[in-house]
Amino acid sequence: MAWSDRTVGLVSGLLAPAVGFLAYGLIYVNVIRPHNDLGWFVHDLFLGTRRYQAPVLSLSLLADVPLFFWFDRTGRVEAMRGVLMALFIHGAVIVALWI
Protein backbone atom coordinates (compact mmCIF):
# COMPACT_ATOMS: atom_id res chain seq x y z
CA MET A 1 0.00 0.00 0.00
CA ALA A 2 1.44 3.33 -1.02
CA TRP A 3 1.06 5.98 1.63
CA SER A 4 -0.22 9.23 0.21
CA ASP A 5 0.36 12.54 1.91
CA ARG A 6 -3.23 12.61 3.10
CA THR A 7 -2.82 9.25 4.83
CA VAL A 8 0.41 10.41 6.45
CA GLY A 9 -1.35 13.56 7.64
CA LEU A 10 -4.30 11.57 8.99
CA VAL A 11 -2.15 9.08 10.88
CA SER A 12 0.15 11.75 12.30
CA GLY A 13 -2.87 13.91 13.14
CA LEU A 14 -4.39 11.01 15.08
CA LEU A 15 -1.14 10.23 16.92
CA ALA A 16 -0.03 13.78 17.78
CA PRO A 17 -2.79 14.26 20.40
CA ALA A 18 -1.41 11.23 22.26
CA VAL A 19 1.87 13.12 22.58
CA GLY A 20 -0.10 16.21 23.63
CA PHE A 21 -1.96 14.14 26.22
CA LEU A 22 1.30 12.87 27.71
CA ALA A 23 2.83 16.37 27.66
CA TYR A 24 -0.21 17.82 29.44
CA GLY A 25 -0.16 14.96 31.93
CA LEU A 26 3.51 15.52 32.70
CA ILE A 27 2.97 19.24 33.17
CA TYR A 28 -0.04 18.57 35.38
CA VAL A 29 1.70 16.10 37.69
CA ASN A 30 4.98 18.02 37.86
CA VAL A 31 3.73 21.60 38.23
CA ILE A 32 0.09 21.65 39.34
CA ARG A 33 -0.04 18.51 41.51
CA PRO A 34 3.56 17.44 42.21
CA HIS A 35 2.52 14.88 44.84
CA ASN A 36 0.86 12.69 42.16
CA ASP A 37 2.34 10.67 39.31
CA LEU A 38 1.45 10.11 35.66
CA GLY A 39 -0.34 6.85 36.46
CA TRP A 40 -2.68 8.75 38.77
CA PHE A 41 -3.33 11.28 36.00
CA VAL A 42 -4.22 8.62 33.44
CA HIS A 43 -6.13 6.14 35.59
CA ASP A 44 -7.79 8.21 38.29
CA LEU A 45 -8.22 11.67 36.80
CA PHE A 46 -8.73 10.93 33.10
CA LEU A 47 -10.24 7.44 32.95
CA GLY A 48 -11.84 7.54 36.41
CA THR A 49 -13.55 10.93 36.15
CA ARG A 50 -15.88 11.27 33.19
CA ARG A 51 -16.28 15.05 33.41
CA TYR A 52 -12.55 15.62 32.76
CA GLN A 53 -12.29 13.42 29.66
CA ALA A 54 -13.57 15.90 27.07
CA PRO A 55 -11.57 18.91 28.36
CA VAL A 56 -8.33 16.92 28.55
CA LEU A 57 -8.86 15.55 25.04
CA SER A 58 -9.57 19.07 23.81
CA LEU A 59 -6.29 20.31 25.25
CA SER A 60 -4.41 17.42 23.73
CA LEU A 61 -5.55 18.53 20.26
CA LEU A 62 -3.21 21.51 20.55
CA ALA A 63 -0.42 19.12 19.54
CA ASP A 64 -1.88 19.09 16.02
CA VAL A 65 -1.26 22.83 15.54
CA PRO A 66 2.54 22.66 15.08
CA LEU A 67 2.09 19.59 12.88
CA PHE A 68 -0.40 21.42 10.68
CA PHE A 69 1.88 24.44 10.27
CA TRP A 70 4.92 22.24 9.62
CA PHE A 71 3.04 20.59 6.76
CA ASP A 72 2.10 24.09 5.57
CA ARG A 73 5.73 25.27 5.58
CA THR A 74 6.85 22.21 3.64
CA GLY A 75 4.09 22.65 1.06
CA ARG A 76 2.31 19.37 1.78
CA VAL A 77 -1.29 20.45 1.27
CA GLU A 78 -2.69 16.91 1.21
CA ALA A 79 -1.03 16.15 4.56
CA MET A 80 -2.64 19.30 5.97
CA ARG A 81 -6.02 17.97 4.82
CA GLY A 82 -5.26 14.69 6.60
CA VAL A 83 -4.54 16.56 9.82
CA LEU A 84 -7.84 18.42 9.45
CA MET A 85 -9.65 15.11 8.96
CA ALA A 86 -8.03 13.84 12.16
CA LEU A 87 -9.18 16.98 13.98
CA PHE A 88 -12.76 16.35 12.85
CA ILE A 89 -12.56 12.75 14.04
CA HIS A 90 -11.28 13.84 17.44
CA GLY A 91 -13.92 16.55 17.54
CA ALA A 92 -16.66 13.98 17.00
CA VAL A 93 -15.28 11.91 19.88
CA ILE A 94 -15.18 14.96 22.15
CA VAL A 95 -18.76 15.93 21.27
CA ALA A 96 -19.86 12.35 21.95
CA LEU A 97 -18.19 12.49 25.38
CA TRP A 98 -19.97 15.76 26.23
CA ILE A 99 -23.38 14.30 25.36
Side-chain angles (χ1 to χ4, degrees), residues 4-10 71 75-85:
S4 67
D5 270 353
R6 187 176 294 181
T7 306
V8 170
L10 178 65
F71 284 142
R76 298 173 72 184
V77 177
E78 290 298 317
M80 291 169 50
R81 290 180 181 163
V83 171
L84 286 176
M85 287 181 358

Side-chain angles (χ1 to χ4, degrees), residues 54-70:
V56 170
L57 286 178
S58 297
L59 283 174
S60 69
L61 285 180
L62 290 175
D64 276 339
V65 173
L67 183 65
F68 180 82
F69 284 112
W70 180 72

Side-chain angles (χ1 to χ4, degrees), residues 20-98:
F21 176 80
L22 288 176
Y24 176 67
L26 288 173
I27 291 170
Y28 190 82
V29 299
N30 287 322
V31 176
I32 299 171
R33 305 237 174 161
H35 57 278
N36 294 321
D37 61 352
L38 191 59
W40 171 84
F41 176 78
V42 173
H43 295 292
D44 293 340
L45 184 72
F46 180 70
L47 295 175
T49 310
R50 182 158 169 85
R51 78 174 202 185
Y52 292 130
Q53 289 176 348
V56 170
L57 286 178
S58 297
L59 283 174
S60 69
L61 285 180
L62 290 175
D64 276 339
V65 173
L67 183 65
F68 180 82
F69 284 112
W70 180 72
F71 284 142
D72 183 37
R73 289 281 184 189
T74 57
R76 298 173 72 184
V77 177
E78 290 298 317
M80 291 169 50
R81 290 180 181 163
V83 171
L84 286 176
M85 287 181 358
L87 283 170
F88 284 125
I89 291 169
H90 277 104
V93 170
I94 291 169
V95 168
L97 284 173
W98 273 341

